[in-house]
Amino acid sequence: MTKSLLLLPGDGIGPEVIGEVKRLIGALALDIAVEEALFGGAAIDATGLPITDETVARACSSDAVLMGAVGGPKWAGQAYDRRPEAGLLRLRSEMGVYANLRPARCFAALADSSSLKREFVEGLDILFVRELVGGVYFGTPRGIEDIGGGERRGVNTQVYTSSEIRRVARTAFELARGRSNRVCSAEKSNVMESGLLWKEEVTALHKAEYADVELTHMLADNMAMQLVKNPKQFDVIVTDNLFGDLLSDEAAMLTGSLGMLPSAAIGEAGKPGLYEPIHGSAPDIAGQGLANPCAAILSFAMALRFSLGETAAADRVEAAVDKALTGGACTRDIGGTLSTEEMGTAIIAAL
Ligand code: NAD
Ligand code: IPM
Ligand code: MN
């Protein structure tokens, strides 16, 4: 049966990078039904909401959803629940995509594009498994309140339950078995109860079901340092929503640019996946044709692999990105001069 893909281009460079994915889809001539909907600031402008109920329903009934990016200065003054970013959090939550896979791979041609020396990043292949629908992003109470005397209080709550920790840890252990069989779990169990629970639950699941996988634990601040000291020590990293957000942006620079890192958010088997480059709407370069489309294109490849049953096409797309980079095709962020569209053209030519 024909699989369906919902594109959510969003804001800023989102439509620019998704535009290159659309051209790639045309070149691949796949049997996929592609639809599109407004998301983020673009949806706020049209409907007053960052995502409508109808778009959420369409996303949940598609086989895969691929987004560009949301947000920007135009909508930054809105109340939190009316911001573009709130639409993304709602979508992740309603799709139930609790495990966000963020592979930080350094393509051979980009070993000199990182801000670290070549020897530290050459051959780098880390897989972040970031918890995506819990933690401080969703915990209650939250808000800003007046507490008198001209003082206000901003509140967010970090909260995790055992089952939320175990299901994402399970994903990490399962994926590790297909790689170098090593998982490092990051938390701050030294200062946070939610971190202590995280460590205990990961340890218990490991002991009960995944003793064949090597498990280590690291405090998240130390991991931030170790990632730039000796990043190749890591294979699979499992961590919470906020630490996973920060550490994966840090790791993106090991691969050359934030514009290189794709992601796949998955939940229960059989449910649609949500695919997103990890970068944002990049207001500083939006509208100038400067964005690197690789993260979006590689996210599309992950959608082909995990949700659309097109493994061969996924291999082709990933190989084409590698080949284009090896042939010297580069946008500005990775040391070249190509525009977004020229980079897309180079990847299509390398298919
Ligand atoms: P950002 O990721 O948009 O940009 C950070 C820096 O990286 C900028 O200098 C930008 O030019 C550069 N960059 C990002 N993607 C690039 C690409 N593909 N090619 C070349 N350079 C790239 O982060 P920010 O500036 O902190 O946030 C801007 C907006 O994006 C905010 O509203 C934020 O909430 C939102 N955001 C959205 C997502 C998402 O939709 N998934 C992710 C992160 C940030
Ligand atoms: C990301 C982004 C999002 C996050 C924002 C835009 C909600 O930074 O996808 O990494 O913090 O998860
Ligand atoms: Mn982020």
Side-chain angles (χ1 to χ4, degrees):
M1 214 176 82
T2 303
K3 302 266 189 184
S4 60
L5 171 68
L6 179 65
L7 297 177
L8 302 173
D11 310 316
I13 64 168
E16 300 174 44
V17 296
I18 293 299
E20 296 314 306
V21 173
K22 287 197 237 173
R23 293 208 299 133
L24 187 71
I25 293 174
L28 284 167
L30 298 167
D31 180 24
I32 296 177
V34 182
E35 288 186 37
E36 203 170 309
L38 293 174
F39 187 38
I44 292 176
D45 289 349
T47 69
L49 295 169
I51 189 163
T52 62
D53 293 346
E54 193 229 329
T55 302
V56 172
R58 275 168 77 193
C60 293
S61 62
S62 300
D63 291 298
V65 180
L66 174 66
M67 61 164 280
V70 293
K74 182 174 178 191
W75 307 281
Q78 313 254 11
Y80 265 105
D81 57 345
R82 298 258 152 180
R83 287 198 193 189
E85 291 82 353
L88 176 54
L89 297 189
R90 177 178 173 203
L91 184 64
R92 288 172 176 169
S93 180
E94 296 218 15
M95 289 181 74
V97 286
Y98 57 79
N100 188 205
L101 320 185
R102 297 188 157 194
R105 282 177 58 208
C106 182
F107 284 89
L110 298 186
D112 289 313
S113 304
S114 168
S115 39
L116 292 195
K117 293 191 199 91
R118 162 181 283 270
E119 66 212 75
F120 292 101
V121 298
E122 203 167 24
L124 181 90
D125 183 2
I126 300 175
L127 178 63
F128 283 88
V129 181
R130 169 192 178 193
E131 199 292 322
L132 200 62
V133 297
V136 73
Y137 278 61
F138 293 94
T140 51
R142 62 180 296 160
I144 297 181
E145 58 191 4
D146 283 316
I147 53 170
E151 283 271 35
R152 293 190 300 156
R153 187 163 70 154
V155 179
N156 291 93
T157 303
Q158 166 84 343
V159 51
Y160 273 112
T161 60
S162 338
S163 57
E164 285 174 334
I165 298 166
R166 283 179 182 243
R167 65 185 179 181
V168 71
R170 179 178 298 285
T171 304
F173 286 129
E174 291 287 338
L175 289 165
R177 280 181 173 161
R179 298 170 47 101
S180 306
N181 219 31
R182 292 184 291 124
V183 172
C184 183
S185 170
E187 27 61 16
K188 276 188 68 79
S189 55
N190 53 340
V191 290
M192 296 165 75
E193 283 80 359
S194 61
L196 184 58
L197 184 74
W198 183 280
K199 186 175 181 182
E200 289 176 358
E201 292 295 341
V202 172
T203 303
L205 179 67
H206 175 255
K207 188 166 176 236
E209 295 181 47
Y210 295 97
D212 56 303
V213 180
E214 181 192 309
L215 172 67
T216 52
H217 304 274
M218 199 177 272
L219 297 175
D221 51 350
N222 182 27
M223 182 175 282
M225 183 277 284
Q226 295 290 342
L227 274 170
V228 286
K229 183 186 181 202
N230 175 21
K232 283 194 261 181
Q233 70 184 281
F234 297 109
D235 179 24
V236 175
I237 289 172
V238 64
T239 191
D240 75 17
N241 205 341
L242 183 59
F243 293 145
D245 182 42
L246 306 183
L247 295 170
S248 59
D249 259 41
E250 183 187 9
M253 270 321 293
L254 307 174
T255 74
S257 167
L258 193 52
M260 291 303 302
L261 222 83
S263 87
I266 55 175
E268 277 167 39
K271 293 271 182 69
L274 172 62
Y275 298 84
E276 24 175 318
I278 81 156
H279 63 71
S281 57
D284 55 337
I285 58 165
Q288 300 173 50
L290 294 174
N292 183 345
C294 287
I297 287 172
L298 293 168
S299 300
F300 171 60
M302 293 182 91
L304 290 172
R305 188 179 306 286
F306 297 126
S307 294
L308 299 171
E310 294 277 0
T311 312
D315 290 343
R316 256 184 97 195
V317 171
E318 284 166 2
V321 171
D322 195 13
K323 191 172 161 198
L325 293 167
T326 304
C330 277
T331 42
R332 203 178 64 169
D333 55 310
I334 44 178
T337 56
L338 295 192
S339 68
T340 307
E341 192 180 337
E342 287 165 341
M343 189 70 201
T345 301
I347 293 167
I348 291 168
L351 277 173

